Amino acid sequence: MKIKIVALFILLSGTVFSQEKTTSTTFKKRVLESTEVDFLASYYNQDGSRSAVSGGLGSEKLTDIASNIVIAMPLNDDDILTIDLGLSAYTSASSSNINPYDSGAKPTPWQASSGASKSDQLVSAVASYSHSNDSRNFIWNADASFSNEYDYTSVGFGGGIARLFNEKNTELSLKVNAYLDQWRPIYPKELEEYSKYGSNFTNQGYLGGITVLDQNGQATNGYSPSAFKTISAVSRNSFSASFGFSQVVTKKLQFSVFFDVLQQQGLLSTPYHRMYFADKANFYIGQAQSISNYENASNTGVYKLADDIERLPDSRFKLPIGARLNYYINERFIVRTYYRFYSDNWNIQSHTASIELPVKLSDKFTIFPMYRYYKQTASKYYAPYETHLSTETFYTSDADLAAFFANQYGFGVNYTDIFTAAKLWRFGLKNIDFRFNHYQRSDKLNANIATVAFKFIMQ
C-alpha cells in the first residue's frame, strides 16, 4: 500500500501582532513583524499484513522520511507571502510488489522485491498570499500548489476569507480549494505484460520464459484475466469548501466548529492494486511446492497472478463535520479536545476523537500527552482477499476502506525562547516542537511517526 506522507507535519507558523507603525494621527499594527522560517522533518514507519497491492494480503511495511521549509515574509504592514517547499522519500515492501518477479526464483507478497517501485520521491510546493484590512477584522488569502511523484502529478489552487467580530472574539471563515490531478498509471506486472502480448506473454517480453502454474502446481497456459482493461481516463479532480466558526466564550474557554463539503471526480481507484475473484481459477508463478502455503506469511516461493485491478466509481462525495474545545485550567494546564464525524456516498462513516493536555513546566518548556481514537465502517465496495465476484462492477480489497478502529498514543515537547537568544546567522530561534505518536489499528497495522519543527525569526 502506497502511502503518501505529506499532511502529518505540525506547522508552527502563525499570526503575530507586535510592531506598530505610527503617523501623526494613526497607528497600525503590523500583521507579521519580520520573516519567519520553519524547518520541519518527520520519520514514519508502518507494518501490517493486508497489502492492497497484493489483493488484501502481504507485507505493508513502509518507511517515509519527509522535510519541509516554510518561509513567511511580510511584504508590508498588511500582506504576507508564504512559501512551503517539501520533499518526501519512501521505501515500501508493498509497492515493490507491483513487480514481484524481479527478485529471482522466489517471488512472494510477504517480502520486498528489488524493483524500481520499491521507492519513490514526492516533491511539493505551495505559495500563499494573505491580506488584512486596516482594522484587522477582515482577511483574505489565495494559494497555489504543485506536487509530483513517479506516477502522479497534482496542481491546486484556492482561496479564503475570514471575518472577525465582537472585538475579535468571534470569527467566521470560508475556504475553497480545487486540485486537478493526473495519474500516469502503472499496473501489476503480470497484467501489464498480458495486455501487451496476450496469452503468449510467457514466451516474450519481461516474463518471457517463465512457467505459469495452476492451483495444483501443474504448468498451464490457461491464465486469461479477461476483466482487465487498461485505464483511459487518468484525471482526478477534487473540489472542497470549508466553513468555520470560532468563539472565545470566556477568558478560559474557546470553541470552534467546522464542516467541509468535498467532491471528487475521475480515477479514484489505484491502478496497481490487485484483485482476486472467488469465482475464478488461481494461477501462480514460482515454486509448485509453495502454492499450498501462499496465504501463510512464511511462504517465500510463489506469487499469485491477478485477476484484475481495483475498480471504484468515478465520483465521491464527502462530508466531515467537527468541533474543537480548548479550556485554560490555570497557568500550567490546558485541555484541548477535538471531535469529527465523517460520511461519504461510498457508505463509509467514521468518528474521530482526540485530547491533548499541555503542561507548562516553565517559561520555556511545555510537555503534552496526546490520545486519538478513530472508528469507521466499511465501504460498500470493499471485500477481503479473494471474496469479490467477477460479475461485480466495483470492487476493492484495500484495507483502508474496510471497517476498523484505531488508537493513537503520543507525547510532545515544546521549547519556546521569547527572547530568541539562540541564533543561526540573522535568525533567532523562537521555538522547537517535537512529537512522537504510535498508531495501532484493529487489523494489526502498526505505525510510528516522529516530527520535529524549528521556528526562526529574522532579526
Side-chain angles (χ1 to χ4, degrees):
M1 178 175 60
K2 185 176 182 181
I3 300 180
K4 301 160 180 86
I5 313 299
V6 178
L8 293 173
F9 296 128
I10 300 99
L11 296 179
L12 299 179
S13 57
T15 304
V16 178
F17 299 90
S18 55
Q19 180 172 313
E20 298 179 354
K21 179 179 179 181
T22 306
T23 68
S24 58
T25 57
T26 64
F27 69 91
K28 182 189 295 187
K29 292 183 178 179
R30 197 171 169 88
V31 176
L32 185 65
E33 180 180 356
S34 59
T35 297
E36 297 181 353
V37 179
D38 290 297
F39 294 98
L40 307 108
S42 75
Y43 173 81
Y44 174 87
N45 68 62
Q46 69 169 45
D47 202 0
S49 58
R50 299 178 68 187
S51 168
V53 175
S54 300
L57 55 75
S59 174
E60 295 177 88
K61 185 175 291 186
L62 179 145
T63 299
D64 183 274
I65 299 174
S67 61
N68 279 67
I69 180 171
V70 184
I71 305 172
M73 299 172 286
L75 303 180
N76 50 49
D77 288 352
D78 306 322
D79 302 309
I80 300 173
L81 175 65
T82 302
I83 304 295
D84 182 347
L85 303 175
L87 175 64
S88 173
Y90 79 86
T91 57
S92 169
S94 176
S95 67
S96 75
N97 283 320
I98 296 171
N99 178 13
Y101 314 115
D102 57 9
S103 55
K106 294 185 178 182
T108 170
W110 303 106
Q111 295 178 4
S113 73
S114 57
S117 60
K118 71 179 181 179
S119 62
D120 197 5
Q121 295 79 41
L122 171 71
V123 293
S124 64
V126 181
S128 61
Y129 177 90
S130 67
H131 172 81
S132 300
N133 69 352
D134 289 343
S135 67
R136 305 302 186 235
N137 288 327
F138 182 80
I139 304 165
W140 65 265
N141 66 81
D143 61 73
S145 64
F146 173 82
S147 65
N148 185 72
E149 53 190 309
Y150 177 75
D151 63 333
Y152 200 86
T153 298
S154 176
V155 176
F157 53 90
I161 56 174
R163 185 73 168 87
L164 286 78
F165 306 90
N166 188 24
E167 297 182 344
K168 297 183 175 61
N169 289 317
T170 304
E171 180 179 334
L172 290 172
S173 63
L174 168 65
K175 183 170 178 59
V176 295
N177 279 98
Y179 296 94
L180 308 178
D181 304 345
Q182 290 286 318
W183 283 94
R184 292 178 291 277
I186 55 176
Y187 305 103
K189 195 63 178 179
E190 67 272 24
L191 294 177
E192 179 185 53
E193 293 298 293
Y194 191 90
S195 70
K196 293 179 182 178
Y197 307 109
S199 59
N200 199 39
F201 80 107
T202 59
N203 294 321
Q204 57 186 311
Y206 182 86
L207 296 177
I210 63 96
T211 300
V212 174
L213 305 174
D214 63 19
Q215 59 190 15
N216 297 314
Q218 302 299 312
T220 179
N221 60 359
Y223 177 62
S224 178
S226 57
F228 176 68
K229 300 291 187 298
T230 57
I231 295 168
S232 56
V234 297
S235 64
R236 173 187 289 183
N237 299 328
S238 303
F239 308 94
S240 66
S242 302
F243 305 87
F245 169 79
S246 65
Q247 177 67 50
V248 177
V249 181
T250 68
K251 291 182 178 180
K252 293 188 174 184
L253 179 64
Q254 179 183 11
F255 78 90
S256 61
V257 294
F258 68 87
F259 73 92
D260 301 337
V261 179
L262 301 97
Q263 177 69 41
Q264 290 184 296
Q265 298 173 338
L267 179 54
L268 305 185
S269 58
T270 303
Y272 49 79
H273 285 178
R274 285 179 175 84
M275 290 303 306
Y276 299 108
F277 298 131
D279 58 342
K280 292 292 185 178
N282 298 329
F283 299 92
Y284 304 85
I285 289 178
Q287 300 172 327
Q289 64 269 29
S290 299
I291 289 176
S292 60
N293 293 321
Y294 178 75
E295 297 176 21
N296 189 319
S298 64
N299 168 57
T300 58
V302 69
Y303 206 97
K304 189 175 181 178
L305 302 181
D307 294 320
D308 195 12
I309 60 174
E310 174 184 86
R311 307 283 180 178
L312 291 168
D314 61 2
S315 66
R316 188 178 186 182
F317 178 77
K318 306 178 181 181
L319 184 65
I321 302 172
R324 297 180 184 273
L325 189 147
N326 299 335
Y327 185 75
Y328 176 87
I329 299 174
N330 55 41
E331 63 181 9
R332 292 196 178 275
F333 299 97
I334 300 174
V335 179
R336 297 173 180 164
T337 62
Y338 170 85
Y339 171 78
R340 189 189 77 158
F341 172 77
Y342 167 92
S343 180
D344 66 29
N345 62 345
W346 289 7
N347 280 20
I348 292 180
Q349 292 188 344
S350 70
H351 301 271
T352 306
S354 68
I355 185 170
E356 184 177 301
L357 300 172
V359 180
K360 192 171 184 179
L361 302 180
S362 68
D363 290 340
K364 292 187 175 183
F365 287 97
T366 302
I367 62 171
F368 37 94
M370 299 172 284
Y371 172 73
R372 177 180 179 271
Y373 177 79
Y374 178 83
K375 183 178 182 179
Q376 78 171 36
T377 60
S379 167
K380 57 186 174 182
Y381 307 116
Y382 171 81
Y385 164 77
E386 206 174 36
T387 305
H388 279 291
L389 300 177
S390 61
T391 54
E392 298 174 42
T393 303
F394 302 115
Y395 32 78
T396 178
S397 293
D398 184 350
D400 288 346
L401 299 179
F404 65 86
F405 64 87
N407 293 285
Q408 181 172 304
Y409 311 88
F411 71 93
V413 179
N414 182 277
Y415 169 83
T416 301
D417 184 355
I418 61 175
F419 299 109
T420 60
K423 290 181 174 56
L424 179 64
W425 190 49
R426 294 174 58 190
F427 291 89
L429 177 62
K430 180 69 174 180
N431 186 279
I432 303 175
D433 188 277
F434 172 80
R435 302 189 179 209
F436 176 83
N437 281 276
H438 176 68
Y439 176 81
Q440 295 178 320
R441 210 157 83 174
S442 56
D443 62 3
K444 309 304 181 184
L445 177 73
N446 292 289
N448 297 290
I449 179 168
T451 64
V452 63
F454 300 85
K455 178 186 285 294
F456 293 91
I457 299 177
M458 180 175 283
Q459 296 179 328

